[in-house]
Amino acid sequence: MTSLRTGPDATGLFGHFGGQYVAETLMPLIHELAAEYEKAKTDPAFAKELAYFQRDYVGRPSPLYFAERLTEHCGGAKIYLKREELNHTGAHKINNCIGQILLAKRMGKRRIIAETGAGMHGVATATVAARFGMQCVIFMGTTDIDRQQANVFRMKLLGAEVIPVTAGTGTLKDAMNEALRDWVTNVETTFYLIGTVAGPHPYPAMVRDFQAVIGTETRDQMMAQEGRLPDSLVACIGGGSNAMGLFHPFLDEASVKIIGVEAAGHGIETGQHAASLNGGVPGVLHGNRTFLLQDEDGQIIDAHSISAGLDYPGIGPEHAWLHDIGRVEYTSITDQEALKAFHTCCRLEGIIPALESSHALAEVFKRAPTLSRDHLMVVNLSGRGDKDMQTVMHHFDEQEEHL
Amino acid sequence: MSRLQTRFDELNQQNRAALVTFVTAGDPDYATSLAILKGLPEAGADVIELGMPFTDPMADGPAIQLANIRALAARQNLTKTLQMVREFREGNQTTPLVLMGYFNPIHKYGVERFVADARDAGVDGLIVVDLPPEHNPDLCHPAQAAGIDFIRLTTPTSDDKRLPTVLEGSSGFVYYVSVAGVTGAGSATLEHIEQAVARLKRHTALPVCIGFGIRTPEHAATVARLADGVVVGSALVDRIASAGSTDEAVEGVLDLCRELSAGVRGARQ
């Protein structure tokens, strides 16, 4: 069998997806970054330093926790939670940030920029920038700033400058445009710390590699606890970094069913969603060819999701490819379904999940009851929900009626 | 011979630089934009760049971002932009016209269909910001096969190692982005421009046009002494933004174009 884990090719393509669709100003730097990353990958000193920070700073490995009460509740598959929400800064985002900042240090860059949606990547970036004494500028849409006030304050506490982006709908896509504009302007001094498995090559592969620690640990932990591989994996997808991190080490295991969960917002049929694979078509944006929400003229359509971290009209190119070849099944969950799953997890496990991760949980609650009791299902609990209190409070009264 | 080559040859014989103007198609609406387009050659534009609006112009500064938003609000799309070129060509067969923008709207329209329709409409060249030479098969090669020039952006970060890759297969002219940054921001020193032009000339026989941050007739004139062409965009687009009426928008752009043209024409005398 040909391995599904060897991509991308030398030009950054996963099948027909990926590539390096950026302004010429950035091309020399992107080539330099790709070359430096290739060197770092095989440098034992880099691996050692990365492992040190993963263990003692991030708190890895994160537990693979048997969710007994959720399992009882569903009455089917045995549900395990990969507890990425226990990482320092409360989400999987830091895995990638630590890797990239070590690379920035190697390249002699002293200024870090990043885009953020929910603010989790912004917080993780501000955190590592503080730790390594680098200047940090975070671009965040004004809509997201309004719904994620606590994270904005956290970033400022950590010494980052948060630049509000008013263009477009003031969400993640617009923040990414503005970060690219800054990068083009300050290309000599600045390292762009992209938070997801998207953007020009080498970002999709590099971010995936830094996040693959999730899947690698899961594999070892499941072998230790159950003596075999899991039967299915479930993760939510905005850009797709937590999902790719969990999925990638299992892509060649034909027995493992893999499910990615997009945000269906108010429902895909309403047009107000963030499901690029289920409701979009291929196009080119932010440095890569992938599935995008766009109109008949090729103009990008604003995504909608209750969860700011999934509110993006594109998806990482490797997911586009895995969708294309059918290795991963991509489904979608609405705002309401995610909220309901959020409450269920809070009440039954005493764990407040991020609204992003609640999409994955909702999918698990649909599937698990139909599966046998020896089916081992792993869901990536990619982040904790503290940041979502405002949003959830807003919907709380309505939600109470459902419970 | 292509319109671009003919035009640059003529100007070379006259010993003057080209004034290259940029406006966004459909800004602030189709009719006004067409009136501007039709008036530009007489107001002194030697080469016209016409922007194809896109929702996410990530290499553009605030002025051109707003131009994109105005044009899209007026429901401009690629079909209408090509229609605009056809209407322009009914009255003008000599001024080269280059479409400039981002790849996604072309990708959605269909590359093959776009190249054929652009050629039939009278488009002479393309500048697509997010298509570096690494992606030549996507559009550059099909466009050139149809006789449409593919114009490359070179930048302060294009070193001697990178330049041959960028320039190989580029045609029409070479656009030098004189500052690392977005459109409309900052401006390069004359010394920087002089060195950059000299360096580019070592790598290419194509005309070199300088853009980014050039706003006044005086500035245009000084750059016109050093390069084969001077590109002005944001300053023209600002005239549309500040106009109180559509007539004022047309006059505002054409007035500035006349002033810039006078600056460029007098530069080497």
Side-chain angles (χ1 to χ4, degrees), chain A residues 6 12 32 54 57 59 61 75 86 120 144 147 153 155 173 184 196 243 272 293 315 336 358 365:
Chain A
T6 54
E32 187 192 338
Q54 283 177 339
Y57 191 69
L86 291 177
M120 297 311 277
D144 289 338
R147 56 182 170 179
F153 188 65
M155 288 183 263
K173 151 183 103 87
V184 150
T196 193
Q272 292 183 299
L293 304 183
I315 184 166
Q336 282 306 321
S358 300
F365 299 162

Side-chain angles (χ1 to χ4, degrees), chain A residues 145-321:
Chain A
I145 285 178
D146 287 342
R147 56 182 170 179
Q148 300 291 350
Q149 285 290 334
N151 270 347
V152 174
F153 188 65
R154 287 166 84 193
M155 288 183 263
K156 288 179 180 168
L157 274 180
L158 292 160
E161 182 187 358
V162 180
I163 298 191
V165 178
T166 53
T169 46
T171 59
L172 185 53
K173 151 183 103 87
D174 311 298
M176 196 149 180
N177 288 335
E178 211 53 40
L180 282 164
R181 291 183 186 117
D182 180 291
W183 198 23
V184 150
T185 308
N186 301 295
V187 61
E188 294 297 334
T189 59
T190 297
F191 188 98
Y192 183 12
L193 208 163
I194 294 183
T196 193
V197 286
H201 175 68
Y203 283 97
M206 181 168 73
V207 176
R208 172 201 71 200
D209 293 346
F210 290 136
Q211 292 293 358
V213 66
I214 301 171
T216 306
E217 283 177 9
T218 297
R219 191 187 173 101
D220 293 346
Q221 289 165 326
M222 191 58 98
M223 289 306 288
Q225 293 181 51
E226 297 277 356
R228 65 180 183 93
L229 292 176
D231 297 300
S232 58
L233 307 172
V234 183
C236 67
I237 297 184
S241 71
N242 90 80
M244 194 52 67
L246 176 64
F247 298 169
H248 195 258
F250 293 98
L251 288 179
D252 288 338
E253 303 293 350
S255 70
V256 181
K257 188 167 170 59
I258 305 182
I259 301 121
V261 185
E262 295 192 302
H266 296 312
I268 290 181
E269 69 288 353
T270 67
Q272 292 183 299
H273 60 84
S276 320
L277 293 176
N278 285 295
V281 291
V284 172
L285 181 71
H286 293 156
N288 56 166
R289 184 173 189 276
T290 187
F291 279 74
L292 299 173
L293 304 183
Q294 55 181 312
D295 68 13
E296 59 193 13
D297 295 325
Q299 305 298 344
I300 307 304
I301 297 173
D302 293 310
H304 164 80
S305 170
I306 190 170
S307 129
L310 304 182
D311 210 344
Y312 180 69
I315 184 166
E318 195 166 9
H319 284 295
W321 174 67

Side-chain angles (χ1 to χ4, degrees), chain A residues 173-174 177 271 279-286 290-303 313-314, chain B residues 24-26 51-58 60 64-65 67-81 100-110 114 130:
Chain A
K173 151 183 103 87
D174 311 298
N177 288 335
V281 291
V284 172
L285 181 71
H286 293 156
T290 187
F291 279 74
L292 299 173
L293 304 183
Q294 55 181 312
D295 68 13
E296 59 193 13
D297 295 325
Q299 305 298 344
I300 307 304
I301 297 173
D302 293 310
Chain B
T24 298
M52 298 173 280
F54 183 46
T55 39
D56 295 77
M58 65 288 254
D60 282 298
I64 294 176
Q65 286 177 45
N68 278 276
I69 290 169
R70 288 191 297 269
L72 291 171
R75 312 194 70 81
Q76 185 72 15
N77 61 20
L78 202 41
T79 305
K80 288 183 188 173
T81 299
M100 181 167 184
Y102 297 83
F103 186 42
N104 198 56
I106 297 171
H107 184 275
K108 190 71 173 65
Y109 190 93
F114 171 76
D130 52 356

